[in-house]
Amino acid sequence: MAAVNFYQLFQQFAQLEIGVIGDVMLDTYWWGHVERISPEAPVPVVALDKKEQRIGGAGNVALNLSSIGAKASIISVLGKDEDGKQLTQLFEQHHINTSFLVASNSRVTTNKTRIISRNQQMMRLDAEMTTDINKDEEALLLENVALYIQKKKPAVIIFEDYNKGVLTARVIEKVIAFCKEAGVLTTVDPKKKNFFAYKGVDIFKPNLKEVKEGLNIQLEEINKEHLSRVHEELKRQLSHETSFITLSEYGVFYSNSKETNLLPSHRRNIADVSGAGDTVIAVASLVYAATKDLNLMASIANLAGGLVCEEVGTVAIKKERLLRECEAVVVN
């Protein structure tokens, strides 16, 4: 790999338009402290110190893109409710284009409320719908995707699937077809339900657990040989270009018809793995769109995923910190 001018590369990100389609969420955090057990039941009493709301789900992918300088648009269906309004406001505050969102009267906006004390999550409360969007919502969403491609001419569209019903089999098939026709790259962060629906995508990025579940395999030993066989089986069923598999403490693996590699992880003080996959797919998609270099894509995304695990809760990667780490760690 030729020497990389990372400062110049990161400057290129500002020229790229990236779309994210998938399940958006509002992440609510209640931070407090515990001093006693409730007299009403054997549970801790959390004295609330502060409340915070963040962008979650597919929105966190768009947030990561915006945070490192790209032009990001979010394409999804959310509820016509207060949580939906709050989430839309958060997108706009972080310079994420909301023109292609669909607000539905029949759905609620997903809101995950986490109660945290001493940097430990004590409980999570989920308000959500997980049924597939209906035919009318599908039609509106697909109209928005077609309009987005026509107006914004994105470099990449990222599918971020959380099994909440936005990415139906029909939506997945149609959006991939739209992108192929327009010459737009597609990358996917899948979940189990639609695991094999993403036929013909450019980059398929499951994690190790999703690969095991999707292919129904044990994969007790993590090495290049075994993972290469995993890629071949995925390719047999998906006919995609590249597999990019995140392996937690084992690092990342990528493979296509031209190259295969297993990159080790970097030692980190892990505080919370929430949102790490969102960061990895965002950074990988952006770097690949800018360079078409798989090894550089995997190296920088691997680094970014580890960095966000050092912070509590869902957070976006910070451009300046990632740039410093790339200059210090990524081998040219």
Side-chain angles (χ1 to χ4, degrees), residues 190-196 204 206-218 230 233-234 236-238:
K191 287 292 182 287
K192 186 177 180 180
K193 180 181 175 184
N194 294 313
F195 197 77
F196 292 112
F204 188 69
N207 61 33
L208 185 59
K209 178 175 180 288
E210 289 157 353
V211 163
K212 289 179 178 180
E213 289 178 348
L215 294 177
N216 193 26
I217 57 174
Q218 291 299 318
V230 167
E233 180 57 26
L234 288 173
R236 187 183 70 80
Q237 299 198 47
L238 290 169

Side-chain angles (χ1 to χ4, degrees), residues 40 57 63 106 109 120 125 136 146 175 183 191 203 221 223 234 248 251 269 271-272 274 298 319 324:
E40 302 168 0
L63 181 61
S106 65
T109 303
Q120 290 187 327
L125 310 174
D136 290 341
V175 174
K191 287 292 182 287
I203 297 175
E221 192 173 347
N223 58 40
L234 288 173
S248 189
N269 295 317
D272 192 339
S274 300
K319 180 180 178 179
R324 288 197 305 270

Side-chain angles (χ1 to χ4, degrees), residues 6 10 67-68 266-271 283 300 303-312 315-330:
F6 287 105
F10 276 51
S67 181
I68 51 179
H266 301 277
R267 190 178 296 276
R268 297 288 176 196
N269 295 317
I270 303 299
V283 172
I300 298 178
L303 194 60
L307 286 174
V308 296
C309 289
E310 293 186 334
E311 300 186 54
V312 176
V315 295
I317 191 70
K318 294 178 176 64
K319 180 180 178 179
E320 293 75 15
R321 188 178 181 202
L322 181 59
L323 176 56
R324 288 197 305 270
E325 290 279 333
C326 284
E327 291 174 334
V329 175
V330 176

Side-chain angles (χ1 to χ4, degrees), residues 228 231 241-244 253-257 259-261 294:
S228 294
H231 165 67
E241 281 293 319
T242 300
S243 296
F244 179 41
F253 168 85
Y254 67 87
S255 183
N256 63 10
S257 59
E259 55 184 311
T260 297
N261 207 355
L294 276 180

Side-chain angles (χ1 to χ4, degrees), residues 68-182:
I68 51 179
K71 292 178 279 190
S73 296
I74 187 71
I75 310 165
S76 188
V77 180
L78 40 65
K80 197 175 284 186
D81 49 27
E82 286 303 313
D83 285 342
K85 290 177 185 176
Q86 179 62 38
L87 186 52
T88 302
Q89 288 175 7
L90 286 172
F91 284 137
E92 290 168 352
Q93 287 170 19
H94 289 90
H95 312 291
I96 297 165
N97 183 10
T98 60
S99 303
F100 305 98
L101 287 173
V102 175
S104 168
N105 286 313
S106 65
R107 297 182 73 81
V108 299
T109 303
T110 298
N111 188 343
K112 296 181 181 292
T113 301
R114 296 164 174 88
I115 301 172
I116 299 173
S117 177
R118 295 181 180 175
N119 282 345
Q120 290 187 327
Q121 188 176 143
M122 303 181 67
M123 180 180 290
R124 196 178 84 183
L125 310 174
D126 291 1
E128 63 182 13
M129 289 178 65
T130 58
T131 55
D132 284 352
I133 57 175
N134 62 40
K135 298 299 181 186
D136 290 341
E137 291 158 349
E138 271 188 342
L140 286 171
L141 185 65
L142 289 170
E143 282 178 22
N144 280 4
V145 173
L147 188 62
Y148 170 68
I149 292 172
Q150 178 190 338
K151 281 189 168 185
K152 296 293 185 178
K153 296 178 173 51
V156 187
I157 287 184
I158 302 170
F159 293 83
E160 182 64 28
D161 199 345
Y162 274 88
N163 283 352
K164 306 302 179 189
V166 169
L167 291 174
T168 64
R170 180 167 179 264
V171 166
I172 293 166
E173 180 184 357
K174 290 288 187 183
V175 174
I176 291 173
F178 290 165
C179 289
K180 283 191 178 298
E181 185 178 352

